[in-house]
Amino acid sequence: RFYLNTWHGTALNKMGNEWPGRSDFDFSYINFFCYESEYQKQHCFAAFNTREEAMIPTGLPRNDTLYRVTPEEILEIKKRLDLPLDKKIILYAPTWRDSNDHGKNYVLQPPIHIDYWEKNLKENYILLFRTHHYTTKLLGVNFNSFVRNYIDYPVVNDLFKVADILISDYSSCLTDFSILERPILCFGYDYDDYCAYPGLNIDFEKEMPSGVLRTEEDVVNHILTMDYEKECEKTKDFKNKYTNIGGHATEICVEKMFGIKIKE
């Protein structure tokens, strides 16, 4: 029996035993653990007590398709999701916040005013909302033709593929999306608080392609004034540091587990 852990993203925030007061994560029994950068590998040792010999530089199987996106596939997904073809797509995908009622609910209320976003962006953009699956309630957002609800849509890679811009905060989806080399914006409205608890592993103000945008005005203005191609180049640099291994992870995992060589 083998245990292959394919994980789900490069954590830029604290995870596992890196969380304050946690020391109970022990993955030393795992046979193989996938990683997609040296950065991720080192944090897996600290966060999960993984073994050096178990770590395999494959990238993450769930991200394989992001390396092979075609214009035809993007068009097909947009048509299937009934998305307009004449507007750019912004995906807003924040991470979850810890519960304030001992785990009964995980409520998210981002400090945004949709009327403001719609007034400034609706001519050229639509906004897709995709919260973390732990989120049990989203407050302060009423969906319409401009801001659309994809919270329960099961295939997040489809949303990545059609999005021209990703807005997140401290989520590992920032590294997943960077594979596409499109603009990523950090909307860190609670950055100082989040740095204090649960904490971050990198200095977002220095490492994120456009730093930390603290207010919705900062975010909207950045979108309206950005040089798209330059933003893509900054994302590429970010990708090369945090997500620089991948594209054939599924094949490599099959070969490792079963000794079967996948034909090219």
Side-chain angles (χ1 to χ4, degrees), residues 18-57:
E18 295 174 328
W19 268 63
R22 298 298 297 268
S23 61
D24 53 309
F25 283 86
D26 183 10
F27 287 0
S28 60
Y29 60 92
I30 288 177
N31 300 96
F32 298 115
F33 197 109
C34 299
Y35 69 91
E36 57 184 349
S37 67
E38 185 64 24
Y39 164 87
Q40 184 188 25
K41 178 183 178 182
Q42 295 305 317
H43 279 282
C44 286
F45 292 144
F48 302 127
N49 192 32
T50 53
R51 295 175 297 114
E52 172 74 42
E53 57 269 30
M55 304 300 293
I56 51 176

Side-chain angles (χ1 to χ4, degrees), residues 138-157:
L138 177 65
L139 302 178
V141 178
N142 294 315
F143 296 104
N144 56 31
S145 61
F146 166 72
V147 56
R148 305 193 181 190
N149 183 358
Y150 283 88
I151 292 174
D152 295 322
Y153 184 73
V155 187
V156 69
N157 277 7

Side-chain angles (χ1 to χ4, degrees), residues 55-70:
M55 304 300 293
I56 51 176
T58 61
L60 306 184
R62 63 174 285 169
N63 288 341
D64 278 349
T65 64
L66 297 179
Y67 287 88
R68 293 183 283 275
V69 183
T70 65

Side-chain angles (χ1 to χ4, degrees), residues 29-123:
Y29 60 92
I30 288 177
N31 300 96
F32 298 115
F33 197 109
C34 299
Y35 69 91
E36 57 184 349
S37 67
E38 185 64 24
Y39 164 87
Q40 184 188 25
K41 178 183 178 182
Q42 295 305 317
H43 279 282
C44 286
F45 292 144
F48 302 127
N49 192 32
T50 53
R51 295 175 297 114
E52 172 74 42
E53 57 269 30
M55 304 300 293
I56 51 176
T58 61
L60 306 184
R62 63 174 285 169
N63 288 341
D64 278 349
T65 64
L66 297 179
Y67 287 88
R68 293 183 283 275
V69 183
T70 65
E72 292 76 19
E73 182 183 11
I74 292 172
L75 180 61
E76 184 277 324
I77 296 171
K78 285 184 175 180
K79 289 181 177 179
R80 174 157 46 85
L81 300 183
D82 195 27
L83 299 174
L85 304 181
D86 60 341
K87 293 189 178 184
K88 289 183 170 63
I89 295 174
I90 302 167
L91 173 63
Y92 182 35
T95 193
W96 67 293
R97 300 303 193 278
D98 203 1
S99 175
N100 57 13
D101 58 4
H102 306 288
K104 295 179 181 179
N105 291 286
Y106 292 93
V107 175
L108 179 68
Q109 187 171 10
I112 64 177
H113 299 84
I114 292 301
D115 290 347
Y116 171 76
W117 291 60
E118 186 169 5
K119 176 183 176 182
N120 286 279
L121 297 173
K122 69 177 181 179
E123 183 176 351

